[in-house]
Amino acid sequence: MSASNENLKDMIGQEYKDGFVTDIESESFPPGLNEDVIRALSAKKEEPEFLLEWRLEAYRHWLTMEHPEWSFVEFPKIDFQDISYYSAPKSMDDGPKSLDEVDPELISTYNKLGIPLEEQMRLAGVAVDAVFDSVSVATTFKDKLAEAGVIFCSFSEAVKEHPELIKQYLGTVVSQFDNFYAALNAAVFSDGSFVYIPKGVRCPMELSTYFRINAANTGQFERTLIVADEGSHVSYLEGCTAPMRDENQLHAAVVELVILKDAEIKYSTVQNWYPGDENGLGGIYNFVTKRAECREENAKVSWTQVETGSAITWKYPSVVLKGDNSIGEFYSVALTNNYQQADTGTKMMHIGKNTSSTIISKGISAGHGQNTYRGLVKVGRNAENARNYTQCDSLLMGDQCGAHTFPYIETKHPSATIEHEASTSKISEDQLFYCMQRGISAEDAVSMIVNGFCKEVFKELPMEFAVEAQALLGISLEGSVG
Amino acid sequence: MLKVENLHVSVEGKEILKGINLEIGAGEVHAIMGPNGSGKSTLSYVLSGREGYDITEGRVLFNGKDLFEMSVEERAWAGVFLAFQYPVEVPGVSNIYFLKAALNGIRKFQGLDELDAMDFISMVKNKMKDLDMDEKFLYRAVNEGFSGGEKKRNEILQMSVLEPTLCLLDETDSGLDIDALQIVAKGVNRLRDPKRSFVLVTHYQRLLDYIKPDYVHVLAHGKVVKSGGPELALELEEKGYAWVDEKIAS
Ligand SMILES: Nc1ncnc2c1ncn2[C@@H]1O[C@H](COP(=O)(O)OP(=O)(O)OP(=O)(O)O)[C@@H](O)[C@H]1O
Ligand SMILES: [Mg+2]
């Protein structure tokens, strides 16, 4: 063992001694990553043996992997030994005591988004003792879900309460060796969400991470697993529609969706992590692996994402269309302003017969923003009658930004029908003048034109989400005209 | 209401308006005619504040205020409306949403509350009925895929909803069929009011059969070369612009 490793071990040992076993609730691990850290993490979470083994396999594989360099995004090398891999959920006592203690800029954004006061306090992590509705809302909604047999809980809770489901489905869509960040996530994920919709059940409500009490503290390596059993249906909303000022830079999540026969999952994301300041300082690196598997026939999944935040967004929510007649959809709006970078898109893997996929991608670049669409449509040897429609539109604002499109198509079956349309446009002076001549201010006009550009995607979002997404676009583009 | 004094305008170094003088009183209807390329659209764009024009000389007063001190939106809020010769498409933005945003922008300036959604819709629907427009246009994207005539009618719909005080109509009659022309003319006439003025840019006497102007001006080579009453339009129709040119020459 090398000297530095020895030191690290010492340090962890010390920290250990100082109490991360005895004082579980209030400690974070010191920065660093090795097998002991993973064991400690797993122990802390009281995980079953199989999960620890799974993590360790992921870690050992990760050590052999190279950091991927193929994307269009640029950022300094990340030192993975410089990150702390466990941070206990902040106790409510550490949070701000009232909204007065919260960054006023954050509050002003909340207000512009029309987020109610109680929700604002929760989002900002204000310490409140079960004063208002959120608690009772959470309870009523838990009851309602339990009645329907739906399981919706944190990943840790699921590991304890439903280990058999976790064992059966974890890593079956995104294996722990899948890619660099997915392997890292598998090794060190701290928490996340778990959803199981039983056979034939239509989830009685939209499941939103808003309502999951500890969602705000799931940290940077979260893991989500959703299983829709035969004939079931669920709409899942993920997102933070308000900026989270998080000192942690890297956010490497994994989302796995399993869709069985005749089932459907609709997964909507509005992502507005801190994008960094107007000079490109700070912000979140959002490197996420999202994949859905339509495992059996007639399964359907649709990903809808509105990505306005993060310094760098690097993700490709994908669909494996294994079941015959299965359907995959991807609707995306990605906005980059200032120095933000986004390299996003999807992969549609047609494997079963008569599978179809739709891709609608809208990229908006402003300021010095760089926006890349990267998509792969793959039609396998046995994928008779596969169909794909792809539409990729870019909107440029100003002349410092960039839009790039990389559509890849691989077909191994002659019956495939693949259509691809792409466009790049600028917000025209004529459109702006027309709107302004009618009494619409320049900023409102820009936001209106951009929202119009994104309409096909927004109409896929649940109503309230669509309203917030529209407001967000407006806010994200503030100051980009004039 | 509007006073244009010795207005000189250049585009990319080329002088297009070469000393325009015009005075438009409240409640008046002025027709501006003139050959292609004489500067009619340029004048309407400059008055409504479009970018890209250098005002090299002269000034314009709107209700006593310097128009060029006002931004595009400020002019719109103060009641300047341009019905475009080529209305612009705004994909993905529904007509109803657009109208509402525009009206609320103006109402906000006037210190009024936003109109109640139900009241707003029924008001707009009534105006559409007057213009013989199908309600489905409310839910289509602004001007997107509209026929030429439908676009023009949509401009008049916006005008009747926003109720501006200075209405500049740039060739609203071009591209309209005979029935549509009458409907649009009726729409304009319905808006005529002692407090509202109109500038009608047109190539055809026909429009002026339906909307009686108080004055007719002929614009040629960037100047108002002749002004008169409604009879001037008739004379032009008969003799063509060559006649005006000859008059300048002599
Ligand atoms: N942006 C521009 N760049 C260069 N030339 C321009 C520009 N805008 C207008 N012009 C020129 O100015 C002149 C006047 O144009 P304008 O559109 O005002 O004419 P008009 O009287 O409205 O003509 P029409 O009857 O055909 O509509 C034309 O010669 C036109 O080519
Ligand atoms: Mg013209």
Side-chain angles (χ1 to χ4, degrees):
Chain A
M1 192 177 265
S2 74
S4 69
N5 258 355
E6 198 74 49
N7 286 342
L8 202 69
K9 222 180 157 192
D10 272 6
M11 201 165 79
I12 290 169
Q14 242 165 40
E15 197 59 26
Y16 204 95
K17 209 167 51 200
D18 279 358
F20 71 27
V21 163
T22 48
D23 191 8
I24 292 177
E25 290 314 309
S26 59
E27 285 307 317
S28 295
F29 286 6
L33 180 57
N34 56 37
E35 290 202 6
D36 290 340
V37 168
I38 293 169
R39 283 178 209 283
L41 171 68
S42 187
K44 194 170 262 281
K45 301 179 77 67
E46 297 168 11
E47 290 177 351
E49 189 59 25
F50 84 87
L51 195 51
L52 171 62
E53 274 314 309
W54 193 80
R55 286 179 182 275
L56 290 173
E57 282 169 22
Y59 174 68
R60 288 170 197 147
H61 187 75
W62 179 76
L63 287 176
T64 69
M65 297 173 96
E66 305 246 344
H67 190 274
E69 302 299 339
W70 47 264
S71 80
F72 212 80
V73 298
E74 274 178 38
F75 55 94
K77 216 168 147 45
I78 298 171
D79 182 356
F80 294 97
Q81 296 300 344
D82 202 31
I83 294 173
S84 164
Y85 290 86
Y86 181 84
S87 161
K90 271 196 194 113
S91 149
M92 278 303 208
D93 304 335
D94 298 339
K97 301 287 178 292
S98 74
L99 274 184
D100 296 342
E101 293 176 27
V102 177
D103 184 349
E105 215 179 292
L106 195 62
I107 299 295
S108 122
T109 305
Y110 288 154
N111 286 331
K112 284 183 203 159
L113 286 170
I115 295 177
L117 199 66
E118 298 91 88
E119 191 63 21
Q120 288 188 17
M121 293 173 98
R122 211 185 61 69
L123 285 170
V126 172
V128 278
D129 313 306
V131 180
F132 35 62
D133 284 354
S134 46
V135 170
S136 57
V137 167
T139 327
T140 29
F141 117 107
K142 274 229 150 102
D143 289 350
K144 214 163 152 189
L145 288 179
E147 220 169 278
V150 171
I151 302 171
F152 179 34
C153 59
S154 74
F155 205 96
S156 314
E157 204 177 322
V159 167
K160 290 204 181 88
E161 307 290 325
H162 311 280
E164 71 299 339
L165 286 174
I166 298 290
K167 203 166 177 180
Q168 187 179 351
Y169 292 106
L170 175 68
T172 61
V173 183
V174 179
S175 92
Q176 75 268 51
F177 314 128
D178 192 86
N179 67 65
F180 188 86
Y181 284 102
L184 178 63
N185 174 287
V188 302
F189 74 92
S190 43
D191 210 335
S193 302
F194 176 74
V195 177
Y196 175 78
I197 315 289
K199 271 188 192 157
V201 170
R202 215 186 151 83
C203 188
M205 61 198 357
E206 273 163 346
L207 299 184
S208 148
T209 45
Y210 259 6
F211 286 127
R212 242 230 14 259
I213 301 308
N214 60 351
N217 290 318
T218 45
Q220 52 186 351
F221 297 103
E222 73 214 59
R223 188 152 190 122
T224 299
L225 173 60
I226 302 181
V227 180
D229 211 329
E230 272 184 45
S232 68
H233 178 285
V234 64
S235 167
Y236 185 88
L237 317 180
E238 161 199 68
C240 181
T241 57
M244 297 275 264
R245 309 272 156 139
D246 196 327
E247 58 268 7
N248 288 322
Q249 293 292 292
L250 177 64
H251 179 249
V254 170
V255 177
E256 293 184 272
L257 310 184
V258 179
I259 308 106
L260 302 183
K261 188 167 177 254
D262 299 323
E264 178 176 355
I265 297 179
K266 212 173 146 42
Y267 194 107
S268 314
T269 304
V270 173
Q271 182 268 115
N272 187 35
W273 300 105
Y274 183 51
D277 68 9
E278 60 278 11
N279 301 313
L281 220 76
I284 300 289
Y285 296 165
N286 190 36
F287 301 163
V288 178
T289 304
K290 288 183 164 173
R291 195 175 306 147
E293 189 172 290
C294 290
R295 198 160 281 179
E296 299 174 353
E297 59 195 79
N298 297 318
K300 179 176 177 187
V301 65
S302 75
W303 296 105
T304 305
Q305 61 171 19
V306 176
E307 306 279 327
T308 60
S310 295
I312 302 178
T313 295
W314 189 8
K315 67 176 221 187
Y316 314 91
S318 304
V319 183
V320 181
L321 296 155
K322 214 181 233 172
D324 291 350
N325 308 315
S326 56
I327 299 173
E329 295 172 339
F330 174 74
Y331 302 98
S332 169
V333 166
L335 179 148
T336 52
N337 195 2
N338 297 320
Y339 285 86
Q340 281 177 276
Q341 310 174 60
D343 193 315
T344 182
T346 184
K347 286 188 235 170
M348 293 290 175
M349 323 290 256
H350 294 258
I351 296 169
K353 296 186 178 49
N354 304 314
T355 49
S356 68
S357 59
T358 304
I359 300 171
I360 310 278
S361 158
K362 305 278 179 176
I364 303 145
S365 324
H368 295 262
Q370 291 294 332
N371 211 319
T372 301
Y373 168 80
R374 192 184 297 276
L376 171 64
V377 177
K378 200 168 174 175
V379 177
R381 218 159 258 121
N382 302 315
E384 217 169 283
N385 293 322
R387 274 167 314 186
N388 165 263
Y389 173 74
T390 299
Q391 184 191 328
C392 235
D393 300 317
S394 310
L395 187 69
L396 298 170
M397 301 173 64
D399 46 17
Q400 308 280 303
C401 54
H404 320 273
T405 308
F406 301 104
Y408 302 99
I409 297 169
E410 291 172 25
T411 50
K412 295 208 173 104
H413 201 289
S415 65
T417 316
I418 292 177
E419 281 176 81
H420 181 90
E421 285 177 31
S423 75
T424 300
S425 50
K426 287 198 160 204
I427 285 200
S428 79
E429 291 294 325
D430 281 344
Q431 284 176 335
L432 276 179
F433 174 62
Y434 189 67
C435 295
M436 287 158 70
Q437 208 301 306
R438 295 300 182 252
I440 299 166
S441 71
E443 288 208 328
D444 288 351
V446 167
S447 141
M448 182 188 268
I449 293 166
V450 171
N451 276 306
F453 173 76
C454 300
K455 180 122 178 210
E456 289 153 284
V457 173
F458 286 169
K459 75 177 179 12
E460 297 297 326
L461 287 171
M463 189 58 187
E464 328 81 72
F465 241 38
V467 171
E468 290 193 12
Q470 289 194 23
L472 251 180
L473 277 198
I475 293 170
S476 307
L477 284 170
E478 256 174 27
S480 62
V481 276
Chain B
M1 160 147 329
L2 187 78
K3 204 166 174 203
V4 181
E5 294 173 2
N6 189 33
L7 180 63
H8 288 252
V9 172
S10 302
V11 176
E12 288 163 11
K14 183 178 153 221
E15 182 157 74
I16 292 173
L17 300 182
K18 303 168 182 169
I20 304 266
N21 290 290
L22 263 184
E23 193 162 350
I24 295 166
E28 294 175 359
V29 176
H30 290 238
I32 297 185
M33 305 182 81
N36 295 135
S38 55
K40 304 180 298 295
S41 292
T42 304
L43 177 63
S44 8
Y45 281 144
V46 168
L47 293 178
S48 49
R50 191 183 191 206
E51 274 178 42
Y53 300 94
D54 298 322
I55 293 139
T56 50
E57 237 187 291
R59 62 169 188 167
V60 176
L61 297 178
F62 178 56
N63 293 326
K65 276 206 276 188
D66 184 348
L67 192 69
F68 297 143
E69 290 288 299
M70 298 159 80
S71 69
V72 179
E73 306 99 294
E74 283 168 347
R75 294 181 210 194
W77 296 333
V80 177
F81 180 95
L82 170 62
F84 285 57
Q85 182 174 0
Y86 304 108
V88 180
E89 300 187 355
V90 192
V93 177
S94 70
N95 237 345
I96 181 87
Y97 185 84
F98 183 83
L99 278 170
K100 202 166 168 218
L103 184 64
N104 284 334
I106 292 167
R107 288 180 67 92
K108 192 169 160 197
F109 173 79
Q110 294 169 338
L112 298 171
D113 284 342
E114 292 193 357
L115 259 192
D116 166 83
M118 295 315 282
D119 293 349
F120 171 73
I121 294 234
S122 69
M123 180 267 284
V124 173
K125 285 189 174 167
N126 277 330
K127 309 231 161 172
M128 291 184 93
K129 220 174 278 156
D130 292 343
L131 291 167
D132 200 24
M133 273 177 91
D134 197 306
E135 284 180 9
K136 69 173 191 274
F137 282 100
L138 281 180
Y139 307 103
R140 282 178 59 177
V142 180
N143 294 326
E144 197 182 35
F146 286 28
S147 77
E150 287 164 353
K151 284 183 182 170
K152 296 301 178 73
R153 226 184 276 205
N154 201 31
E155 294 291 282
I156 301 304
L157 173 66
Q158 292 174 9
M159 186 169 90
S160 43
V161 168
L162 302 180
E163 302 186 322
T165 52
L166 176 64
C167 307
L168 310 166
L169 279 68
D170 192 357
E171 296 198 26
T172 300
D173 54 333
S174 302
L176 290 179
D177 65 39
I178 314 216
D179 292 350
L181 181 70
Q182 289 202 33
I183 291 163
V184 164
K186 258 196 239 159
V188 172
N189 283 329
R190 213 174 287 120
L191 282 170
R192 285 186 71 163
D193 182 293
K195 290 201 226 63
R196 182 173 293 130
S197 316
F198 290 86
V199 176
L200 308 175
V201 172
T202 180
H203 287 294
Y204 308 107
Q205 160 60 32
R206 213 179 40 183
L207 176 71
L208 307 181
D209 286 341
Y210 299 113
I211 310 171
K212 272 268 154 288
D214 300 299
Y215 300 91
V216 175
H217 310 276
V218 180
L219 193 65
H221 311 300
K223 278 188 172 170
V224 177
V225 292
K226 201 164 171 40
S227 297
E231 71 290 346
L232 179 57
L234 287 167
E235 213 171 334
L236 272 176
E237 179 107 325
E238 201 177 305
K239 300 180 181 164
Y241 291 122
W243 164 72
V244 184
D245 277 344
E246 277 161 35
K247 296 207 78 157
I248 307 170
S250 64

